[in-house]
Amino acid sequence: MKPQFRYLDKPALEPVPGCSWADKMVLNPAIVKDPDSDTIHMLFRATGPWPQKRREGCHDPYPIFLGYAKSDDLGKTWDADFSRPALAPNLGYEEDELYITDIQGNKVRNYANGCIEDPRIFPVEGELYVTVACRAFPPGPYWLSDQDPPVETRFEYVPEWISQASDEDPFVKTARSNDTVTVLYKLDLEQLKNGNYEQAFHYIGPLTEGHVSDNRDVFLFPEKMKIGDKHQYLMLHRPMNVLPFPEGERVKKPSIYLAAAEAIADFASPKAEHRLLASPVFDWEENRVGASWPPIKVGEREWLVPYHAKKNVEFGYTQSFMIIKERDNDYPVLIHRCPDRLMYAEREWEMPSDYPTPCLFTTGGVVLNGELIMSYGAADQKVGISWVNLEELVNHIRQYDQEGKLLQQDTIQI
């Protein structure tokens, strides 16, 4: 029997009319449990028109921000701070405005200058981090690209000087396409929950190479693993263009990859090594698959990996789960994959209004009292919360092999 998912009967958060940075969308939230209590902390993505940066002949830009919220009742209700963003893009346009001071005190290119999207929170070696998908420059009303006829606004705020700048700068090559680059911040949870937002986020740098591919849905495992006779950091990611990556010519579609590197800074360089983990297989995965939020350990060297898939514009984004297993001196391998979409837009408030694509997109999960509490974006405009018994979910996934085929009853490990 499939596990029973429970949902709120209304959005946990939604756009706030008149809030300049959050009156169009509030979605795709990351969550983390407080280490000293059962409070759950959230970072959510938000946007609204930003006419103060509008350029002549262009639409209003729509920079993307992060906001903060918390719940003291296991996710049933949320107290959100809409007085100001927790993390905001700088929105510079001139060459000298496109730098930031990193965690080491170095002046570096600011890949988070235009948009800060889709946070995921996770620990690595006992320290807390957050990844965000970033653009060098803000787009206009980007959902217009899904309308008929489509209107492309991604490049409206890319400065003209970028086209003449040197290709030797990887930031410039990325900025020309204004694709997303995943950026890593160190997160100080104490500062965040106390409202000291300026001290809560410490810029580390990019984890992906924007000039190679638009790349998002990125997060790390909490500890290093031994791979190729070296203890390495391990990362999940989803490149949009898979052709530069192993088996890309075969799978052709956006897929879930693993990347290993001896240093975190090496992920956004040729030093990182990549391995295909999972590609689209089932009908509801036809367009793409990507990992949804950081994996949860569920057994001896085994990890539950939540993932999302998209079939097409009409069918939209749906969610399922897989289990991977660590191996000696090698990358983890997929051992169980659910063939069914287990979470998808059903409730009226989850259905699209301004956008054509149905979407239930989980971006966070925490375990409390045996319950897996998940946060998700709905209809690309709102925040939802879901609960499921973790043991029941894991037992259900274990019924299937790595190809999604039902196992013989006596081979299922519970």
Side-chain angles (χ1 to χ4, degrees):
M1 189 169 74
K2 288 185 179 180
Q4 299 301 304
F5 292 83
R6 306 182 307 283
Y7 298 85
L8 290 176
D9 59 5
K10 61 181 181 179
L13 296 176
E14 53 190 327
V16 177
C19 179
S20 59
W21 58 276
D23 74 350
K24 181 63 178 178
M25 302 177 186
V26 172
L27 69 159
N28 293 3
I31 54 176
V32 64
K33 179 188 174 299
D34 194 288
D36 301 319
S37 70
D38 285 346
T39 296
I40 304 172
H41 303 279
M42 174 188 287
L43 289 171
F44 57 85
R45 164 182 166 178
T47 192
W50 209 249
Q52 55 266 51
K53 285 284 188 175
R54 184 172 184 172
R55 298 168 67 187
E56 186 176 354
C58 298
H59 297 85
D60 281 343
Y62 278 77
I64 297 175
F65 305 82
L66 297 189
Y68 170 71
K70 68 174 183 176
S71 173
D72 292 319
D73 57 6
L74 305 181
K76 298 181 183 67
T77 60
W78 293 84
D79 178 19
D81 179 7
F82 285 106
S83 68
R84 59 195 172 110
L87 185 61
N90 187 53
L91 302 180
Y93 290 102
E94 301 304 325
E95 202 276 340
D96 62 351
E97 297 176 314
L98 301 176
Y99 291 88
I100 191 171
T101 301
D102 71 10
I103 196 170
Q104 304 295 336
N106 301 312
K107 184 180 177 182
V108 297
R109 286 292 197 183
N110 183 8
Y111 283 87
N113 176 71
C115 287
I116 303 173
E117 310 178 21
D118 299 354
R120 271 67 168 228
I121 303 172
F122 51 89
V124 178
E125 297 179 322
E127 302 283 354
L128 205 58
Y129 295 87
V130 58
T131 50
V132 280
C134 299
R135 297 185 194 274
F137 301 100
Y142 49 90
W143 55 91
L144 298 182
S145 63
D146 289 330
Q147 296 186 359
D148 188 17
V151 177
E152 182 57 71
T153 68
R154 187 202 296 187
F155 307 104
E156 287 189 341
Y157 287 87
V158 177
E160 291 183 7
W161 65 263
I162 285 287
S163 62
Q164 278 83 47
S166 171
D167 269 351
E168 294 182 5
D169 186 342
F171 177 88
V172 168
K173 288 199 289 185
T174 300
R176 285 179 187 160
S177 61
N178 212 19
D179 281 331
T180 52
V181 171
T182 294
V183 170
L184 183 68
Y185 286 82
K186 191 172 183 180
L187 179 63
D188 188 322
L189 188 59
E190 280 297 313
Q191 299 284 7
L192 179 69
K193 68 185 186 183
N194 289 325
N196 301 321
Y197 300 148
E198 293 78 9
Q199 286 77 48
F201 300 89
H202 305 278
Y203 187 96
I204 295 176
L207 291 176
T208 63
E209 297 179 280
H211 61 281
V212 175
S213 173
D214 184 294
N215 202 334
R216 52 205 307 159
D217 305 327
V218 178
F219 21 87
L220 276 71
F221 285 79
E223 301 292 342
K224 290 181 178 180
M225 296 185 190
K226 188 176 181 182
I227 299 171
D229 293 325
K230 296 176 286 188
H231 286 91
Q232 304 193 66
Y233 294 101
L234 191 66
M235 182 177 83
L236 287 158
H237 66 110
R238 195 274 296 146
M240 180 62 78
N241 174 20
V242 296
L243 296 181
F245 296 90
E247 300 189 68
E249 291 281 355
R250 178 179 66 82
V251 301
K252 293 184 172 61
K253 299 175 181 179
S255 300
I256 304 171
Y257 276 83
L258 292 163
E262 291 185 77
I264 287 176
D266 291 343
F267 280 118
S269 79
K271 294 179 181 179
E273 296 182 350
H274 302 267
R275 177 76 59 88
L276 178 68
L277 178 65
S279 58
V281 173
F282 309 116
D283 176 68
W284 50 276
E285 302 174 338
E286 183 180 330
N287 179 269
R288 71 186 67 169
V289 293
S292 292
W293 39 272
I296 293 176
K297 197 163 192 177
V298 292
E300 183 63 30
R301 307 182 75 190
E302 293 183 354
W303 299 85
L304 179 72
V305 177
Y307 77 101
H308 58 268
K310 181 182 179 183
K311 179 178 180 179
N312 53 36
V313 171
E314 293 77 24
F315 199 80
Y317 286 92
T318 56
Q319 301 288 310
S320 196
F321 299 82
M322 60 181 68
I323 295 174
I324 66 175
K325 187 176 181 66
E326 296 178 37
R327 294 189 290 175
D328 293 333
N329 204 29
D330 204 347
Y331 287 85
V333 64
L334 175 60
I335 58 172
H336 301 289
R337 183 173 187 171
C338 181
D340 303 311
R341 57 192 188 121
L342 295 181
M343 303 174 70
Y344 48 91
E346 296 180 275
R347 286 142 290 279
E348 183 178 353
W349 61 269
E350 296 172 341
M351 297 303 166
S353 54
D354 292 354
Y355 319 107
T357 304
C359 183
L360 190 157
F361 193 86
T362 64
T363 40
V366 298
V367 179
L368 276 165
N369 305 321
E371 290 282 299
L372 175 58
I373 305 171
M374 287 172 285
S375 54
Y376 63 91
D380 266 348
Q381 274 191 295
K382 304 164 188 172
V383 167
I385 301 293
S386 177
W387 298 261
V388 68
N389 181 276
L390 179 61
E391 183 178 2
E392 291 179 3
L393 173 62
V394 170
N395 288 345
H396 180 72
I397 307 304
R398 290 193 193 281
Q399 294 181 94
Y400 304 98
D401 68 10
Q402 70 274 21
E403 297 177 348
K405 296 175 182 176
L406 194 63
L407 292 166
Q408 296 281 343
Q409 196 65 30
D410 57 359
T411 64
I412 299 174
Q413 296 181 357
I414 302 297

